[in-house]
Amino acid sequence: MNFKIGLIHGDGIGPEIVNEAKKVLEAVSSKYSHSFTYENLLLGGASIDATGEPLTDETIESAKDCDAVLMGSIGGDAKTSPWYQLEPSKRPEAGLLGIRKALNLFANLRPAYLYDELRDACPLKKEIIGDGFDMIIIRELTGGLYFGEKKTVVEDGMRKAIDTLTYDENEIRRIAKRGFEIAMKRGKKVTSVDKANVLDSSRLWRAVVEEVAKDYPEVTLEHMLVDNCAMQLVMNPGQFDVILTENMFGDILSDEASMVTGSIGMLSSASLNETKFGLYEPSHGSAPDIAGKNIANPIATVLSAAMMLRYSLDLDREADAVEAAVRKVLKDGYRTGDIMSEGCTQVSTTQLGDLLVERL
Ligand code: NAD
C-alpha cells in the first residue's frame, strides 16, 4: 500500500532519532511491500531559524496532506538558546501547541510498558512489578480545565483566580469511542478515570462513557476515581489495559505511569484527530545536552513509528514486527547509554537503528 508520511525532524536529538525511525520504516516497507513517501516539515526551533515562525501555514497544510506525521522532539536549552529570547508565542513550544490545535488532535495516547530486560530501571519493588505491566493512557487533549475560561481578578483587595472545567457530551463521546476502539485492539479492558464523587463534569464523563460502552460489549469497563488511580499505578500497575481520562488527570497520570517504567528514552506517544490522522512523537524532549553526539536512544521514536503503523495506517502486523524487533535488540543485550546496565553492549544511536533493521 502507498502512504505519505510527514517527517518533522525537530531540534536537538530530533534529527538523529527521526533518521533511525525512518530507517526502520524503510525496512518495513521493503519487507511488507509497501511504498512510503516522506515529506519533510518544519516545526519548532528549526522552523524559527528558517522562517522566523515556530509553525507556518505551509507546515499545517502539508501535514494535512499526509496520512500521518512522525516527529522528533522540538525545543532547545531555555538558558542558552536564542529561541527563548523571543516572546512566548514565537518560541518552539508554541509551534507544537499550534499544530495540535490546527489539526484538532484531541486524543493523546501514551503507552507505558515494562520490558523484561529493563526491570532494573523500574523503581517499584519486584513483588509489585509481578509479571510486568502494559498499559496505554488515553487523555483528552483539547478540552477541560486547560482550555476553559480563565481569569484573575481583585475582589475586596484580594487577588482571586478562576479556571473553568467544561466538557460537553460530544467531546467526551469522541474520546471514549477512541478508548474503546483501542481497547478492542489490546486487552479489551477500559478503566475510565474521573472524580465523579465531586465534579459535575466527571459525572457527565461517567454517564457518556457508559453510553459508549454499550457499543463495545466485548470490552470490560470499570470506573476509578483519579486519586485511587494515582495509588493503583504504583501499587498494582499490572491491572490496567486502557486508562481513559480527561485532560488534566491524564496529564498527571501519564507522567506518573511513564516514571514507573523508569526509562524515558523508551516511551512513545500519539495525538490523534477524528480521522485516522495522527502526530506521533517520543514522550521525551529534545535533549539538547546530548544532541549531535550519536548517543541518544532512538527507541521511543521507533515505537512512535510503530504506533503510527498501527493507528493511522492500520498496519498491525507491521507494528507488531517493529515492537518485536525492539524486544529482540534488548534481549540480545544492546543498549544506548541511558539504559545501559552491566553485561550489556553499549551502542550508538545509528548502531541501534541498524540492529533493529537487522532484526526486522
Ligand atoms: P528532555 O526529555 O529533553 O531531557 C531530560 C533528560 O533525559 C536529559 O538528561 C536528556 O539527555 C535525557 N534524554 C531525553 N531523551 C533521551 C533519549 N532519547 N536518549 C537518551 N537520553 C535522553 O527534557 P528537558 O531537558 O526538560 O527538555 C529539553 C527541551 O525539550 C526543552 O526545550 C523542552 O521544552 C523540550 N521538550 C519538548 C517536548 C516535545 O517536543 N514534545 C517534550 C518535552 C520537552
Side-chain angles (χ1 to χ4, degrees):
M1 289 174 79
N2 298 332
F3 294 103
K4 188 170 174 189
I5 297 168
L7 291 180
I8 298 173
H9 285 82
D11 308 317
I13 59 171
E16 299 166 61
I17 54 184
V18 169
N19 283 341
E20 297 316 303
K22 186 178 172 192
K23 219 150 95 178
V24 169
L25 286 171
E26 281 303 276
V28 167
S29 80
S30 63
K31 179 167 179 194
Y32 294 94
S33 306
H34 300 302
S35 161
F36 297 151
T37 51
Y38 303 94
E39 174 145 12
N40 291 330
L41 310 175
L42 286 172
L43 186 80
S47 178
I48 297 172
D49 290 346
T51 70
E53 297 289 332
L55 170 66
T56 59
D57 290 343
E58 194 188 336
T59 289
I60 294 171
E61 289 316 310
S62 305
K64 283 181 180 165
D65 198 35
C66 294
D67 293 295
V69 174
L70 179 68
M71 185 179 112
S73 309
I74 53 123
D77 184 332
K79 287 199 193 101
T80 57
S81 164
W83 299 326
Y84 297 90
Q85 306 298 319
L86 301 167
E87 62 169 275
S89 66
K90 301 277 184 197
R91 293 180 190 170
E93 289 71 16
L96 187 56
L97 293 180
I99 198 166
R100 284 179 180 156
K101 197 166 169 205
L103 301 174
N104 197 20
L105 303 172
F106 68 87
N108 182 245
L109 278 49
R110 272 175 65 174
Y113 177 80
L114 185 68
Y115 287 89
D116 242 5
E117 295 74 17
L118 300 181
R119 276 170 173 255
D120 288 346
C122 176
L124 302 178
K125 287 184 186 154
K126 283 191 176 57
E127 54 269 32
I128 288 178
I129 300 173
D131 294 334
F133 51 86
D134 176 6
M135 72 184 96
I136 185 164
I137 301 202
I138 302 184
R139 164 189 171 196
E140 202 289 325
L141 202 58
T142 55
L145 202 56
Y146 298 172
F147 289 87
E149 199 185 318
K150 51 189 90 237
K151 61 180 174 184
T152 304
V153 293
V154 179
E155 273 178 13
D156 301 328
M158 192 167 68
R159 286 173 297 164
K160 180 173 165 182
I162 299 158
D163 292 292
T164 320
L165 203 181
T166 311
Y167 270 110
D168 68 42
E169 58 181 310
N170 290 343
E171 287 174 308
I172 302 170
R173 188 166 289 114
R174 66 180 183 177
I175 187 81
K177 274 186 173 172
R178 261 302 151 87
F180 282 94
E181 278 159 14
I182 287 166
M184 288 293 291
K185 287 193 173 209
R186 297 176 40 101
K188 297 195 171 72
K189 179 179 172 193
V190 169
T191 305
S192 174
V193 174
D194 60 38
K195 189 71 182 166
N197 52 344
V198 183
L199 299 175
D200 262 21
S201 56
S202 281
R203 286 189 273 272
L204 181 63
W205 180 277
R206 201 175 268 215
V208 175
V209 169
E210 280 184 1
E211 286 162 25
V212 172
K214 291 190 182 121
D215 294 333
Y216 302 87
E218 284 175 60
V219 178
T220 305
L221 168 66
E222 67 175 13
H223 300 285
M224 192 176 279
L225 296 176
V226 61
D227 38 354
N228 185 24
C229 184
M231 290 192 290
Q232 294 298 327
L233 277 172
V234 290
M235 272 168 46
N236 181 13
Q239 71 184 287
F240 295 112
D241 176 26
V242 171
I243 292 181
L244 169 69
T245 192
E246 61 97 76
N247 201 344
M248 185 178 65
F249 298 159
D251 189 5
I252 299 166
L253 294 176
S254 59
D255 269 10
E256 185 188 355
S258 60
M259 282 321 293
V260 170
T261 68
S263 37
I264 192 165
M266 304 286 301
L267 298 167
S268 53
S269 87
S271 301
L272 310 177
N273 68 14
E274 230 141 347
T275 68
K276 285 267 167 202
F277 180 87
L279 174 72
Y280 297 82
E281 55 176 315
S283 293
H284 59 73
S286 59
D289 52 332
I290 57 166
K293 295 183 178 160
N294 197 20
I295 58 172
N297 185 348
I299 291 179
T301 315
V302 169
L303 291 173
S304 302
M307 286 181 87
M308 176 178 81
L309 295 171
R310 189 180 308 283
Y311 296 118
S312 282
L313 311 186
D314 268 332
L315 301 176
D316 287 33
R317 183 186 49 161
E318 290 78 348
D320 288 344
V322 172
E323 288 164 0
V326 168
R327 280 194 295 274
K328 185 83 180 36
V329 161
L330 294 174
K331 197 157 186 270
D332 293 345
Y334 296 105
R335 306 277 190 276
T336 44
D338 56 310
I339 51 170
M340 186 59 192
S341 60
E342 226 183 295
C344 293
T345 310
Q346 188 162 339
V347 293
S348 66
T349 311
T350 44
Q351 283 170 326
L352 195 86
D354 293 340
L355 290 163
L356 287 168
V357 167
E358 273 171 28
R359 275 146 192 83
L360 266 167

